[in-house]
Amino acid sequence: ARLTVTVGVGRGLVERVDPARLPAWLGPLPAFNRDQLDSRFSGGDLLLILQSDDLLPIAHAARMFDRDLRSFAEPLWSQQGFRQARGAESDGTTMRNLMGQVDGTVNPSPDEEDFDELLWLGAGAGWLSGGSAFVLRRIRMELDTWDMVDRPGREQSVGRRLADGAPLTGGDERTPVDFEAKNALGFTVIPSAAHIRRAHSVDPSERIVRRAVNYTDGQESGLLFGCYQRDPLRQFVPIQRRLDEADMLNEWITHTGSAVFAILPGFKPGGTIGESLLA
């Protein structure tokens, strides 16, 4: 069922191995004004991301990891997430979040020339060469009040049509947004505080590789927003600062969890994951 396990390490673990090996970006993110972070969903020394098309192998793998880790590690927090089931949509379909929005349209592709420069750490990264940086944000959605907003209001907040994810300036989901387009009254079609305008950057090096999943937890629902990049301080933080300052979606979302991890490089047969750090 295409089970994968992604492993990352946090600041505390690296400091215990060798503080001199700590990247400048590996640690808590700068404070954002709208954050309401809960320690129950923040930080951590070791990250395990289990992903599969089926819950059965995830449940089995999670139990095996828990068994092997319990002698030296204590669980800090966990969150089960989900996307559309495999086969429910045609391959290549962008997922929807629980607000009903197409989520993750403008995501760098491995086919793009500068993809590796955005994502993978090079030889100068030492023990992290071939690895990446990962930011995880737990975002609560206020769906009850979101349901009260009419369709035009929802689309204006995002800047895209709910039906197909196309920008309000026309075309389809993949059509570039025309941020200069104006309506008959002379106002910009994409509002100044629309989510896609605030998230947009004219600096191509600011792009991140997003990997989000939905979650429901009792009476709470939201998005586990994860993103990979070379340097969160240079790529994720500028984007989040713009969203924190003025994003119409802030009326219905709250960031309640935050963590940064170094994603470990791969290893060859006979090797051990994390060997470049622990050697």
Side-chain angles (χ1 to χ4, degrees), residues 79-138:
Q79 181 71 66
Q80 188 174 99
F82 60 92
R83 297 162 69 96
Q84 280 100 327
R86 189 180 186 190
E89 302 276 4
S90 58
D91 288 346
T93 301
T94 308
M95 69 162 268
R96 287 184 182 270
N97 62 36
L98 295 177
M99 286 178 159
Q101 305 163 320
V102 174
D103 193 307
T105 297
V106 186
N107 213 17
S109 164
D111 299 330
E112 296 179 36
E113 193 171 309
D114 62 346
F115 182 81
D116 288 354
E117 297 174 9
L118 296 172
L119 179 62
W120 304 114
L121 290 157
W127 65 272
L128 261 177
S129 176
S132 187
F134 184 73
V135 172
L136 181 60
R137 304 279 286 180
R138 189 177 191 269

Side-chain angles (χ1 to χ4, degrees), residues 27-84:
L29 294 172
F32 300 106
N33 292 329
R34 296 179 180 273
D35 281 1
Q36 296 182 21
L37 301 183
D38 188 328
S39 59
R40 295 177 300 165
F41 307 111
S42 296
D45 292 335
L46 180 67
L47 169 74
L48 296 174
I49 305 176
L50 279 61
Q51 299 176 97
S52 174
D53 293 329
D54 190 334
L55 273 174
L56 184 63
I58 289 181
H60 175 72
R63 188 169 66 86
M64 293 297 99
F65 277 112
D66 179 66
R67 181 196 65 186
D68 293 343
L69 290 170
R70 68 179 59 156
S71 65
F72 62 89
E74 296 180 2
L76 180 63
W77 68 285
S78 65
Q79 181 71 66
Q80 188 174 99
F82 60 92
R83 297 162 69 96
Q84 280 100 327

